[in-house]
Amino acid sequence: MSEGARQSSSGPEAVPDHVAIIMDGNGRWAQMRGLPRQEGHRRGLEALRRTVRNAADAGIRFLTLYSFSTENWRRPQTEVSFLLGLLRRFVEKDLIELHQAGVRVRIIGNRADLAADLRALIERAEAMTQGNPGLTLVIAFNYGSRDEMVRAARALAEEVAAGRLSPSAITEEALSARLDTADLPDPDLVIRTSGETRVSNFLLWQAAYAEFVFTPVLWPDFDREALDEAIAQYRRRERRYGGIGSVTSRSVGVA
Ligand code: FPP
């Protein structure tokens, strides 16, 4: 991205181009109501659908949602199966509606561990929607940033071993191009719900210059107001990308 484009990506009117969300708090939402955790995830899926609409409305062009991490396999088998079922139903049932709304669907994460029929569903969803002009919805499923970087490093190593790539050609761009997110812009804003303030192995490479907003709102309650509040916080930040930025309190001698 050019420096000019970067500098205009925050400020009073700016809408972040790419928003990534760690959707957290489904379990606590259910627990607070004496409901099973699964009900929290079901309501979480409703919040996901609502957020896709709200994000498109707000002018966001890329929305990445962390829906299952490489570490989530450690959860009880029943919960893992339920989350796999939710993804399956989401891809099957929502696909036509998303397609008609012009949404481009992408799934990132390690597909090798997924059942063959689920992989086929994902591939069909991506193929059907790839030419769509609207919001790009990226679902991170069986995703872990370290796993993604290891897979990218392995791909580079294999190309070097095969004599197709020189070690000196291993640059930031070369590694980026082998990540699951190769054709996506880096996130401008990362939101985590439920009051937790961890990154949890999410987009560690891609979020190098992202702004982070942590909100106490539990994911099933995440609504337009919560999204707008996160965007408002983003607008108040000054993004400097390692530079010194414009006139700041520092440059006039104020701490
Ligand atoms: C974190 O809440 C949430 C998840 C691990 C799953 C997120 C899933 C959805 C939002 C449903 C949509 C899913 C798909 C696959 C499309 P948590 O269970 O860790 O909550 P807790 O920290 O309160 O226990």
Side-chain angles (χ1 to χ4, degrees):
M1 200 191 287
S2 77
E3 205 49 40
R6 279 179 168 177
Q7 279 170 359
S8 63
S9 69
S10 65
E13 301 301 325
V15 173
D17 200 36
H18 184 172
V19 175
I21 308 183
I22 303 175
M23 307 180 291
D24 198 7
N26 293 350
R28 273 162 288 166
W29 184 95
Q31 197 179 16
M32 282 163 61
R33 290 161 178 81
L35 297 169
R37 290 178 58 82
Q38 295 186 350
E39 188 54 28
H41 293 316
R42 211 175 279 124
R43 296 296 286 264
L45 182 55
E46 284 174 23
L48 183 155
R49 293 185 174 115
R50 185 165 68 230
T51 302
V52 172
R53 287 193 299 272
N54 288 339
D57 254 23
I60 291 162
R61 293 196 313 131
F62 296 85
L63 177 68
T64 299
L65 301 172
Y66 202 8
S67 66
F68 192 88
S69 75
T70 44
E71 288 70 39
N72 284 153
W73 297 102
R74 295 184 198 138
R75 293 188 177 209
Q77 178 55 38
T78 48
E79 183 162 340
V80 169
S81 303
F82 188 80
L83 288 167
L84 283 164
L86 276 190
L87 176 71
R88 195 181 292 269
R89 279 203 299 283
F90 175 70
V91 177
E92 273 172 352
K93 297 238 169 76
D94 291 41
L95 184 59
I96 297 299
E97 210 177 305
L98 290 167
H99 186 46
Q100 283 168 353
V103 174
R104 187 162 72 115
V105 178
R106 286 282 311 278
I107 313 282
I108 58 168
N110 195 335
R111 294 185 191 187
D113 303 332
L114 303 181
D117 65 322
L118 183 54
R119 281 208 303 272
L121 263 180
I122 287 172
E123 280 159 19
R124 192 167 64 92
E126 291 183 329
M128 186 196 275
T129 62
Q130 74 175 354
N132 286 348
L135 176 94
T136 297
L137 171 64
V138 184
I139 301 282
F141 196 90
N142 194 27
Y143 177 85
S145 209
R146 289 181 171 186
D147 172 74
E148 181 193 33
M149 286 194 257
V150 166
R151 285 186 285 115
R154 202 175 287 144
L156 288 169
E158 280 166 3
E159 289 172 54
V160 170
R164 292 197 304 271
L165 189 73
S166 148
S168 62
I170 299 179
T171 57
E172 290 188 12
E173 290 72 25
L175 195 138
S176 286
R178 284 150 185 91
L179 296 174
D180 297 347
T181 52
D183 55 339
L184 302 169
D186 286 344
D188 302 291
L189 169 63
V190 178
I191 301 170
R192 184 170 188 149
T193 60
S194 90
E196 305 290 347
T197 49
R198 291 183 294 280
V199 177
S200 297
N201 205 11
F202 187 48
L203 302 178
L204 299 179
W205 172 281
Q206 298 87 338
Y209 289 100
E211 295 294 330
F212 283 76
V213 168
F214 299 100
T215 168
V217 173
L218 300 177
W219 176 251
D221 292 328
F222 194 82
D223 57 7
R224 179 66 199 247
E225 193 187 340
L227 178 65
D228 286 347
E229 170 53 31
I231 295 174
Q233 281 197 44
Y234 170 85
R235 286 177 172 156
R236 291 195 288 270
R237 311 264 175 95
E238 189 196 5
R239 305 184 74 193
R240 294 206 292 265
Y241 299 96
I244 55 169
S246 52
V247 181
T248 63
S249 49
R250 266 203 230 173
S251 63
V252 290
V254 180

